[in-house]
Amino acid sequence: MCIRDRVSTQSTGFYYRTLYKSDILTTKMWDNFDQMPKNYRQAILNDFNALYLSGDINVEELNRRLSYILETEQDHTVLLDVLGVTGQLKHTIIHTDVCTQNHLVSPRDQEGTHGSDTVVSRANLRFYQVALELYNKDVKTMVPETKALRQAALEHALKYETNEVANGRLGKEDATLSNWAEGIAFEFLESCKEELKGTDAFAVVKDFDTLGACIGAAMVSRSIPASHAQNVWAAYKMLDSDPEKGNLVLRALCRYGDDRVLLGDIAKLCTRNSIIRSQLGGVVFMNLAQNNFFDTFAWDHIKQDWEAIDKQWGKGQFRLQRIIEYLAHNTDALFTQESAAEFEAFFEAHPCPAASLAIKRGVECIKLKAFLSKRDAKTFWAADHDE
């Protein structure tokens, strides 16, 4: 029997219980996988992820099943879950000598194969295809799950395509998504200039659901240079009366901005509830933790500005817990036993009772990343790349 009864209950208080017979887990369950209802397929996918993290199945088994789902799954809700699982795994076991800085493509892809035997490459290619299929469709006609998949796949695929161009595997003229995204980003920035002149603003950019990803792609490819970050910031301030659109711009700026001083100002303004509402603390710090250029920025800022952060959110549980958990899960630089010790020591020196559970989870998460990075990252990324 393969039994996972509890996961870290002593520290977190949470149970995760599942029971599979071994032959069902490894073979029989997959014979009829395509015919199962989609909620069953989602449950099995998430169970497999949990069983891998708890050590009940190995990375080779997880790779095999994820690859199978990537090849066969058509339902948009399940595909969105697959993207979430592969993204989580890449955050978890990202740091070894075989991983690239941008975390998206196997580093030693052979010409003509593009790492076809790795689940990372298969996920990249599958969601790139999904993005190409959906990017220019009218979002107003989409059901919610398709709209959500389009947004997530587009952001993933834009990073992938930008990397392919940077590595010379794809010509800039053939970068369909990047060229489209950069056009939208420039159109948006031009509309901001017109707004400053008193003309009608933002009407030019009709698809705000993908605006953040487009701005991000333009920043990553440097087609929007660092100096333009201030223009994006100005655009956010003009969108104060439209929080939904403003949040998309803020998210893009925090995740893809390469102006360290501006990012510091944004974090401080949010913490002090000035211009950026403090309720957006989760949005700001989650995306700062995943910033494309400064992988320790959010953690460094929290240590430096802790007094103000604790004053703003320390008396309430929900928002500060979210910020701390985002930090531990999404900061790629926090992946060693040493960084887990640093994380734990900081909060021992700066007690925060309202977020004690989140701190314990954060320490566990970083230790898990350290363990899995050492054990499984090379297999997960590039089983066929040993030289």
Side-chain angles (χ1 to χ4, degrees):
M1 308 288 280
C2 179
I3 302 174
R4 179 75 254 157
D5 185 45
R6 299 178 179 213
V7 174
S8 304
T9 54
Q10 188 173 16
S11 295
T12 65
F14 281 102
Y15 287 81
Y16 188 98
R17 179 175 296 153
T18 189
L19 171 63
Y20 292 110
K21 291 183 178 180
S22 296
D23 58 342
I24 293 177
L25 181 69
T26 57
T27 56
K28 291 183 180 179
M29 181 170 61
W30 299 94
D31 293 341
N32 300 309
F33 186 81
D34 296 344
Q35 283 72 51
M36 293 180 182
K38 71 178 181 181
N39 59 320
Y40 282 36
R41 301 199 301 277
Q42 287 177 279
I44 289 170
L45 170 66
N46 290 318
D47 281 355
F48 249 68
N49 182 29
L51 289 168
Y52 160 70
L53 293 175
S54 62
D56 285 301
I57 61 173
N58 60 31
V59 68
E60 290 84 0
E61 180 72 12
L62 181 71
N63 281 354
R64 184 160 53 251
R65 299 312 178 189
L66 279 176
S67 296
Y68 171 77
I69 296 173
L70 282 165
E71 291 172 3
T72 60
E73 187 59 59
Q74 299 299 319
D75 183 85
H76 288 175
T77 307
V78 182
L79 279 173
L80 193 59
D81 278 6
V82 175
L83 184 56
V85 168
T86 54
Q88 175 197 326
L89 290 171
K90 283 186 285 183
H91 273 299
T92 302
I93 52 182
I94 208 76
H95 286 276
T96 70
D97 57 352
V98 301
C99 297
T100 56
Q101 184 179 3
N102 61 29
H103 316 156
L104 284 168
V105 182
S106 303
R108 287 176 280 174
D109 288 344
Q110 301 299 314
E111 187 175 354
T113 65
H114 292 281
S116 58
D117 289 338
T118 71
V119 70
V120 170
S121 294
R122 291 178 188 223
N124 285 338
L125 292 173
R126 178 63 196 276
F127 290 109
Y128 186 55
Q129 293 163 358
V130 169
L132 284 172
E133 177 188 341
L134 297 176
Y135 83 98
N136 59 354
K137 299 290 180 62
D138 185 359
V139 294
K140 294 179 182 177
T141 65
M142 292 180 181
V143 295
E145 54 266 31
T146 300
K147 186 177 178 180
L149 177 63
R150 174 184 179 272
Q151 176 68 20
L154 182 61
E155 185 163 339
H156 183 92
L158 282 166
K159 290 184 183 179
Y160 171 69
E161 189 179 76
T162 300
N163 184 74
E164 293 290 280
V165 172
N167 288 337
R169 290 191 287 253
L170 182 69
K172 178 61 178 172
E173 66 281 1
D174 298 319
T176 303
L177 293 175
S178 298
N179 293 333
W180 168 78
E182 289 167 14
I184 288 180
F186 277 114
E187 193 173 18
F188 173 73
L189 290 176
E190 288 302 312
S191 76
C192 294
K193 294 176 183 177
E194 291 302 315
E195 164 80 355
L196 295 173
K197 296 175 184 176
T199 59
D200 186 22
F202 308 113
V204 225
V205 185
K206 298 180 175 61
D207 184 7
F208 276 96
D209 290 296
T210 55
L211 174 63
C214 292
I215 292 173
M219 286 181 169
V220 171
S221 69
R222 302 288 187 171
S223 58
I224 291 183
S227 60
H228 282 62
Q230 291 290 344
N231 293 347
V232 179
W233 172 234
Y236 170 76
K237 290 188 285 187
M238 280 185 261
L239 282 167
D240 185 56
S241 60
D242 195 333
E244 184 179 358
K245 296 174 184 177
N247 288 354
L248 291 169
V249 177
L250 183 63
R251 178 177 177 272
L253 191 55
C254 290
R255 187 173 294 197
Y256 301 108
D258 58 356
D259 184 331
R260 182 181 282 273
V261 174
L262 176 59
L263 294 177
D265 289 343
I266 289 172
K268 289 178 180 178
L269 288 169
C270 181
T271 302
R272 289 153 179 80
N273 198 32
S274 174
I275 300 179
I276 302 173
R277 292 176 294 121
S278 61
Q279 291 94 321
L280 295 176
V283 174
V284 168
F285 282 95
M286 179 184 72
N287 288 286
L288 287 175
Q290 299 178 71
N291 183 274
N292 201 70
F293 299 101
F294 309 119
D295 62 356
T296 65
F297 181 87
W299 175 227
D300 292 341
H301 180 84
I302 281 179
K303 289 185 290 185
Q304 293 164 8
D305 201 30
W306 175 253
E307 185 178 347
I309 290 169
D310 186 39
K311 181 179 179 181
Q312 180 62 252
W313 297 301
K315 297 297 187 290
Q317 293 185 352
F318 178 67
R319 191 155 286 109
L320 190 57
Q321 284 195 14
R322 287 182 67 196
I323 289 172
I324 290 171
E325 289 194 57
Y326 283 147
L327 191 71
H329 280 271
N330 295 319
T331 303
D332 290 336
L334 296 177
F335 75 101
T336 64
Q337 295 294 346
E338 292 76 14
S339 55
E342 178 195 356
F343 191 90
E344 188 170 27
F346 176 80
F347 287 108
E348 284 178 354
H350 303 82
C352 185
S356 58
L357 187 58
I359 293 166
K360 289 180 179 179
R361 288 180 189 153
V363 173
E364 287 181 357
C365 174
I366 298 168
K367 288 180 177 178
L368 179 63
K369 287 194 284 186
F371 170 72
L372 294 176
S373 178
K374 183 176 180 180
R375 188 189 73 179
D376 290 340
K378 193 168 185 178
T379 302
F380 178 80
W381 280 90
D384 58 337
H385 287 159
D386 290 334
E387 292 177 347

